[in-house]
Amino acid sequence: MAKGGGEVVGEFSVPMSMSSIGALLGIPTSQFGKLRAWSDDVANFFGRVARHARGTQTDAAGFQEFLAYLKSILEAKAEEDDGSIAANLAGLWKNGS
C-alpha cells in the first residue's frame, strides 16, 4: 500500500490477523510465516472434511503439524504461567477446563 496501491486483504488484513492471533497464542513473530501456511492448511482440511471440498495434498499433514506445534507452545506457556492470555489458555487446557 505504501507503493501507491495494493491488495488490502493479502498485504494488510491477513498479516494483521496472523500477528494478532499469534500474539494471543504466544507464537513468536518469527513463526508468523508458518502460521499463515498452517492457517491455510487448517481451512482446507476442515473444508474438505466438513463440506467435501477438494482440499490440498498437504492439508492433513499441515493440520497435524500445526496441532503439534500449538501443543508445544501451550505446554511451554503452562509452565511459564506468566499471566498472559496464552498462559491462561494453556492452564485451562492443562486442567481440562
Side-chain angles (χ1 to χ4, degrees), residues 9 11 13 26 39 42 66 68 78 83 92 94:
V9 173
E11 293 181 21
S13 298
S39 175
V42 169
F66 173 67
L92 291 170
K94 278 292 217 187

Side-chain angles (χ1 to χ4, degrees), residues 31-47:
Q31 296 297 310
F32 286 179
K34 278 189 166 186
L35 183 60
R36 170 64 193 267
W38 286 328
S39 175
D40 291 344
D41 284 337
V42 169
N44 286 320
F45 177 79
F46 281 111

